[in-house]
Amino acid sequence: MKLVVSVLYVIASSSLVRGQSCNPPGGGVGECISILRCPSLAALVSKPTRTQEEVNLLRGASCGFERTTPKVCCPATCSTPEGMEGQCVDIYQCGHLASMLKPPVPMEVKQYVQKFRCNGPSRYSVCCGPAPTTPASGVEVGNCENRVFALPPDPRTRCCGVDSNGANKPIRGDIDKAEINEYPWLVIIEYSKDNKIKLLCGGTLISSRYVLTAGHCVSGKILALGTPKNVRLGEYDTTNDGQDCVDVGGGQDCNDPVLIVPIERYFSHPEYNLWSKKNDIALIRLRQNAPFTDFIRPLCLPTTDVAGRSSSFNMTTAGWGAVDDDIVSSSAIKLHVQLPFVEIQQCQAALTKLRPPPNLWEKQICAGGQKDRGSCKGDSGGPLMLENVDERRYELVGVISFVSLPCGVENIPGVYTKVFAYKSWINSAIQKDASNS
């Protein structure tokens, strides 16, 4: 950090502060912010050697100081097609995209790059985010055990959202026991108080290092019951500390013993509101990387917004929550159920029966509303999943936020945080958190 300040002090010493709005060297609109909040320019400072062109870029971007930290005119942020946070710049300032356009350029590469277009400083502006780990014309599929990253995997790699046998199985409409190797991304959060462990919330493994859960699972009233301490990976039967086995076709199918990983830290969305239940989403960082096995692997982040679908469809939720009116007792076995998608307007009208009635917004989705079926107490923070039939994988559509009590009341859907609306936050928060580790 001292090196960053000393290098930029000389570069920025002659600059003047002109307010928060500014014009980056490449044109367009930017914001005068701390160099530490501008990844593209901070990366230049961190380089052991810089070209004269890069030095000129830093000098042209300087716009003052924030105490002793240099400020730069950082290009406006945007979201890449993969949901990564980027900056809208001329394509020739985005090395990994520009390199793809060296002739001859296959048509699929042209189509891939066009997806990054944004309203920026030139007619050839793109949303420049982190460089992809594989070429656009041929994404490497498989080899997941050796591709352990903090960021969520690219769904095209087949390293997320797929059961160990490579095909997901249809389920019945009623609440039922899941297969022992189904939903290997499903986790349980352990809470500790007075040297006792409680299982109060679920979550979803979305990368080797991070679990996505609800904001109310890591802040607010729940902390009076216990502090999030560990995450259970590869769990099936919570009453058994060893290997779980189920009878299958005259034989037995067994999983690996549950893996309990300590929680390094956790944080909810900065705008999470306990009372309105808006932005009810949070990330948990594990103290160690989760392995990629038949019983532990991540779930894909969504590639599309399900709220834009024109036809009716079902989604799936799973967990160890309560299964009847006795909401004190949770299920010991991993359960799953299919739930119909409910339009937000229809859901809002149905929830006027609750006291007080919630005020829903576009970053929430609803599912369920059928008697004796749906999420319940203890399922909070767990996933609402949609199977991409063509790609034969599941995607994380929602995070269980709140349901009516008693659970499974007819015509009263459950409410879920819409993950698609938070993809940029998820990826940028992971990048920022991982860089601070």
Side-chain angles (χ1 to χ4, degrees), residues 394-412:
Y394 279 106
E395 296 181 357
L396 178 57
V397 175
V399 173
I400 300 172
S401 181
F402 66 93
V403 295
S404 64
L405 295 177
C407 311
V409 177
E410 192 169 4
N411 297 322
I412 302 293

Side-chain angles (χ1 to χ4, degrees), residues 78-150:
C78 54
S79 181
T80 70
E82 289 87 2
M84 306 290 284
E85 185 173 296
Q87 292 167 339
C88 193
V89 299
D90 185 279
I91 189 169
Y92 295 107
Q93 288 186 300
C94 189
H96 61 273
L97 290 182
S99 65
M100 293 181 184
L101 298 181
K102 294 180 180 179
V105 185
M107 179 57 65
E108 60 267 25
V109 173
K110 291 181 181 179
Q111 294 172 344
Y112 175 78
V113 173
Q114 285 176 351
K115 295 179 181 179
F116 289 80
R117 293 181 64 180
C118 61
N119 186 20
S122 74
R123 59 183 296 191
Y124 302 111
S125 295
V126 294
C127 186
C128 187
T133 56
T134 53
S137 58
V139 175
E140 180 187 354
V141 177
N143 192 29
C144 304
E145 296 84 353
N146 299 317
R147 300 171 66 179
V148 179
F149 303 115

Side-chain angles (χ1 to χ4, degrees), residues 214-237:
H216 73 265
C217 287
V218 298
S219 61
K221 298 178 181 179
I222 201 166
L223 298 184
L225 302 176
T227 302
K229 184 177 182 181
N230 303 306
V231 167
R232 292 190 186 183
L233 304 173
E235 181 63 282
Y236 182 72
D237 183 349

Side-chain angles (χ1 to χ4, degrees), residues 407-420:
C407 311
V409 177
E410 192 169 4
N411 297 322
I412 302 293
V415 179
Y416 303 77
T417 303
K418 183 164 69 173
V419 175
F420 185 81

Side-chain angles (χ1 to χ4, degrees), residues 137-394:
S137 58
V139 175
E140 180 187 354
V141 177
N143 192 29
C144 304
E145 296 84 353
N146 299 317
R147 300 171 66 179
V148 179
F149 303 115
L151 284 170
D154 186 329
R156 296 172 298 176
T157 62
R158 304 289 293 171
C159 292
C160 60
V162 182
D163 287 344
S164 59
N165 61 2
N168 298 310
K169 298 167 281 299
I171 63 175
R172 301 196 303 270
D174 297 332
I175 295 176
D176 194 12
K177 293 180 181 179
E179 299 290 341
I180 199 167
N181 61 347
E182 278 190 293
Y183 320 120
W185 41 82
L186 195 62
V187 310
I188 303 179
I189 304 171
E190 291 188 350
Y191 295 77
S192 176
K193 185 174 183 180
D194 300 329
N195 294 321
K196 295 181 179 179
I197 292 295
K198 300 179 181 179
L199 307 178
L200 303 177
C201 271
T204 306
L205 188 70
I206 59 171
S207 75
S208 65
R209 204 61 180 268
Y210 288 88
V211 166
L212 195 68
T213 187
H216 73 265
C217 287
V218 298
S219 61
K221 298 178 181 179
I222 201 166
L223 298 184
L225 302 176
T227 302
K229 184 177 182 181
N230 303 306
V231 167
R232 292 190 186 183
L233 304 173
E235 181 63 282
Y236 182 72
D237 183 349
T238 62
T239 63
N240 183 15
D241 294 332
Q243 188 177 48
D244 297 324
C245 295
V246 295
D247 294 330
V248 178
Q252 282 196 323
D253 188 8
C254 300
N255 66 359
D256 298 329
V258 63
L259 179 62
I260 300 178
V261 179
I263 293 174
E264 191 165 77
R265 55 181 167 269
Y266 50 85
F267 50 93
S268 55
H269 190 279
E271 298 179 16
Y272 165 58
N273 187 298
L274 173 66
W275 306 109
S276 69
K277 299 180 175 61
K278 290 183 177 180
N279 304 304
D280 190 10
I281 193 168
L283 283 164
I284 294 175
R285 177 179 170 87
L286 305 178
R287 191 173 295 174
Q288 66 190 56
N289 286 332
F292 188 96
T293 71
D294 287 349
F295 305 97
I296 301 172
R297 56 183 61 188
L299 179 57
C300 303
L301 294 183
T303 53
T304 58
D305 185 353
V306 297
R309 291 195 168 201
S310 56
S311 57
S312 60
F313 59 96
N314 289 330
M315 295 174 287
T316 304
T317 187
W320 291 264
V323 293
D324 51 38
D325 290 339
D326 178 16
I327 61 172
V328 176
S329 301
S330 297
S331 171
I333 302 296
K334 179 168 57 178
L335 305 175
H336 61 173
V337 65
Q338 279 192 342
L339 303 172
F341 171 75
V342 179
E343 293 284 354
I344 196 74
Q345 296 86 354
Q346 179 184 346
C347 184
Q348 179 69 76
L351 296 185
T352 56
K353 303 172 186 176
L354 301 183
R355 293 293 179 268
N359 184 23
L360 304 183
W361 69 328
E362 70 275 6
K363 293 187 178 182
Q364 292 168 317
I365 57 176
C366 297
Q370 297 172 314
K371 184 176 174 56
D372 297 329
R373 292 167 56 187
S375 303
C376 198
K377 189 171 183 179
D379 289 322
S380 285
L384 180 67
M385 303 166 281
L386 178 66
E387 185 176 13
N388 185 325
V389 178
D390 294 335
E391 300 293 335
R392 298 179 67 80
R393 67 166 184 264
Y394 279 106

